Amino acid sequence: MTADKTITGAEAVIKALVENGVEIIFGYPGGAVLPLYDAIFDNKNIKHILVRHEQAAVHAAEGYARSTGKVGCVLVTSGPGATNAITGLTDALMDSIPVICLSGQVPTHLIGTDAFQEADTTGISRPCTKHNYLVKNANKLCDIIHESFEIASTGRPGPVLIDLPKDIQLTRVQYDKKIDKTKNKLIKNKSKIDPKVITKVAELLISAERPIIYGGGGVINAGPKASNLLTELVDLLNSPVTLTLMGLGSVSNDHKNFLGMLGMHGTYEANLAMHNCDVMLNVGARFDDRVTGRLNAFAPKSKKIHIDIDKSSINKVVSVDFGLIGDCKEVLTTLIQEIKKLHNQKKLKTKINWWAQINDWKKINSLGFKQIGKNIKPQQAIKSLYDRTKHIDTYVTTEVGQHQMWAAQYFGFSKPNHWMTSGGLGTMGYGLPSSMGVQIAHPDSLVIDISGEASFLMNMQELSTIVQYKLPVKIFILNNQWMGMVRQWQELNHGSRYSESYTESLPDFVLLAKSFGIKGLRVEEIDKLNQTIDEMIETKGPVIADIRVEKEENCFPMIPSGAAHNEMILGSEDKPKDTSDAGLALV
Amino acid sequence: MSVYQNNEINEEETSRTLSLVVDNQPGTLARVIGLFSGRGYNIESLTVTEIDNARNLSRISLVTRGTSMTIEQIKSQLLRIVPVHIVRDLTLEGPFIESELALVKVVIKGANRVEALRIAETFRARTLDVTLSSFVFELTGKPSKIDAFIELMQSLGDTEISRTGVSAISRGNKTETKLLEQI
């Protein structure tokens, strides 16, 4: 009987997306996905956002996913559509963001013939996806879509690509509803928390004299409840807490125990507390090289505890004394219970000396800077932006470079899911498309892309998308006419030989805005900074704000390449000892 | 000093035999191999064949080298691959058997032909093909035994070798049935 097989593969795909909760899909059409676009044409349940480049589609989906906790969804065509999406997929893999990418493929019988717009998409995307599929049997289409959502969103989240040959999209199929058969399938990812280990860890934390809690993106990925639990643990132990770039917002920036971000551009007190701690609790972070500095001098006298959902993150680069594999929310719940239980019997160490030491480090004021003269210091620009937006529900995305670090240092995040930045891959051009995804998910909130002029140029075609969908995104460009971080490294490590890091021929950003019919603002003097920021915020539609900042400002404090936490440099006057050969080779 | 650095410097690399149960589907092997090349691990031997047609499962027997920390990484990374269901470290689990099959062609004329047959007999190799100037022997056993046989044959004449790679299984009455039920 064919009577009940009433829908095409393409229609089944869209229906399965809707069943999995997809409301928004970011994409770009092409020959191999025309049946899918036809299925979208009169579907009321799904809204398609037409981007201007496939990379931007993935970043937009990432922004959507990170600000909502849902799965982001992307639709691209075969060949160049799919290859353009690769950077976005790699970005999502590195930062553990759940994204489903549907790609068109040439019809099954043409696969392998070098057909027009054919690429080995599953081959190319294999190392940059958590999992991928090439659908060769239309009857498995629905199951694969359902399964892909499970894979993308459970365990350590990540991108999943489904390659859909055009003939499969046109085959008539029966729609299969989602059935929960993944229960067993993902059993290898189940948390394995040994109660004995929990007790030992709880005892260790209770008896610690100089503890430090270091939280990462895993806390954000585990949902807002995990952030509350982390804060509860910090309060319970009266422990100092620091966060990675990915973890910002999981503990509020105004919490008295928060020491700021750690790592290469982290605060002095956060890094020194890491270096001198006796017990370190890592919650959902992965000892990234940007965080640890030189490994053989990393927190040398500490016992280390690591909570991570991904077993391979534990003991990957840093050997720990206790590894707890599981979702941060679940592990923290158990751990807090255990600490409370033991707490009744054992007195918590007072930590007076530890806090006194930390407060001494704070006095260094490692984020201090001097706003002198008329030129705008980039740090001041971010600080003012934060001051003038902190009473509003604000979401921030960034590109990659100095502006990103300044944003992390000077913008405060009091809630999770409000900070979207490319941490692992470090993708310039991430912020603008990502801000579109955030704005679509939160139409009434203030969404700011803190950008640099070089990063902005990498995906500026998306201005067209922003205008089309009337997304009131504020693009806050710290314009110093340099690829600032490249320039800074050339200054510090290559004798100020500024090879190819100056951006010639920049556009007039105000006129550029005008050409898209949106507002452009420019400010060159410190006196007018606040006024410009206010005008930007108060403008209903999208704005490009060209903030001309001090051109050769460096981002400090900094752990130089190949150095340890206690070898930070605090400012330009603080000349680092010559970078070692090993340090020079590091990225 | 971090423990990690010490581990890396002091600990010697050892050979490990891993046994994987994976979905028999396109791309699984590519993911496994890609993991090794992408993360800079070694593969010394690798064999793959379907072991359960009804459930569409294959076994990958894999020999790799590394420090214990690297091997732990390899095993955890392998388990992250969606269609990889079971990763067993046979070397760590206890006694196990590993066996390999080799086809060895050797071109020999004259008196050495008798010597070749005598060696083949000692190694319990089967003679699969004979011409007046060549033999093809089939030999199974541990890789070290096959290495020794090949070395001897190479000293007798021009050789051509084809080996399957190691297939491995644990000794004793324990099976994977329970683990497989969870898949």
Side-chain angles (χ1 to χ4, degrees), chain A residues 126 129 188 296 312 315 317, chain B residues 31 69 73 79 81 84:
Chain A
R126 197 167 287 125
T129 49
K188 61 179 183 180
N296 60 7
S312 74
N315 293 327
V317 287
Chain B
R31 274 199 181 263
M69 197 156 163
Q73 253 308 290
L79 263 182
I81 300 173
V84 172

Side-chain angles (χ1 to χ4, degrees), chain A residues 37-102:
Chain A
Y37 271 86
D38 193 62
I40 286 176
F41 187 63
D42 43 21
N43 190 309
K44 300 254 178 327
N45 298 314
I46 220 162
K47 184 174 162 67
H48 180 271
I49 304 292
L50 176 66
V51 295
R52 302 306 191 254
H53 186 285
E54 289 86 350
Q55 182 195 347
V58 188
H59 292 326
E62 285 184 272
Y64 180 87
R66 291 175 75 160
S67 64
T68 59
K70 295 185 199 164
V71 178
C73 201
V74 176
L75 172 55
V76 299
T77 192
S78 64
T83 56
N84 277 347
I86 294 298
T87 301
L89 293 171
T90 313
D91 192 90
L93 184 74
M94 291 286 271
D95 285 348
S96 309
I97 312 300
V99 169
I100 302 286
C101 178
L102 307 171

Side-chain angles (χ1 to χ4, degrees), chain B residues 100-128:
Chain B
E100 188 180 359
L101 184 145
L103 298 174
V104 180
K105 179 185 282 187
V106 55
V107 179
I108 318 180
K109 285 180 190 163
N112 273 346
R113 290 175 65 82
V114 185
E115 188 58 32
L117 285 172
R118 202 174 292 149
I119 293 168
E121 202 185 336
T122 314
F123 277 80
R124 295 193 190 161
R126 291 208 298 151
T127 312
L128 294 189

